Amino acid sequence: MAEINQYGYQKIREFVIANWKYLELRKPDGTVLKRFGIADGLEIAGSANTPTIEYKLIIKGSDALFTNQTVGKSVVFDSPTGANAITTENFTSFTFESADDELTIIHKLQIPQVL
């Protein structure tokens, strides 16, 4: 069986950065809260030459959608609606209790993933 070389991983990272541009937040039970894109404040960092691609999103309790909501999962997609989940990250649940609450989500992918 052949193994992907460094150039191949660079091409995969380029594809991911160019196409996987949406992060969905969910409740711990999987209920969808909202899917975010770059226009919604999602930041995507990384390059074809670094193994880690990072999705960063800051959510404020003052956003009416998150008032009294609990967030516990982030999910990467390649489409603003529908589509299949590409990667899911579970994290310690956070409940927005006031307008002053703020949550920073950092969802990291490693290509290749180091186990």
Side-chain angles (χ1 to χ4, degrees):
M1 179 181 312
E3 186 173 319
I4 297 173
N5 63 26
Q6 187 59 34
Y7 176 75
Y9 282 119
Q10 287 175 349
K11 298 306 285 181
I12 292 169
R13 288 184 207 105
E14 286 174 7
F15 178 85
V16 168
I17 292 166
N19 294 286
W20 299 0
K21 295 185 173 194
Y22 302 93
L23 188 71
E24 185 174 273
L25 296 186
R26 296 181 177 181
K27 294 180 179 185
D29 68 3
T31 302
V32 175
L33 291 167
K34 183 176 179 179
R35 191 174 300 184
F36 294 84
I38 295 183
D40 303 308
L42 177 64
E43 298 174 20
I44 302 172
S47 75
N49 298 314
T50 58
T52 302
I53 298 169
E54 182 177 287
Y55 295 79
K56 181 178 178 183
L57 185 63
I58 299 172
I59 304 298
K60 299 183 185 238
S62 58
D63 182 337
L65 175 65
F66 290 96
T67 301
N68 296 317
Q69 294 291 342
T70 300
V71 181
K73 296 180 186 224
S74 59
V75 185
V76 173
F77 286 88
D78 61 355
S79 174
T81 59
N84 292 318
I86 294 170
T87 177
T88 302
E89 182 72 27
N90 296 312
F91 52 86
T92 302
S93 298
F94 180 85
T95 301
F96 290 91
E97 297 176 352
S98 77
D100 295 330
D101 288 345
E102 186 173 280
L103 175 64
T104 300
I105 306 290
I106 298 176
H107 187 119
K108 293 183 180 182
L109 300 178
Q110 283 190 322
I111 303 170
Q113 182 176 3
V114 179
L115 300 177

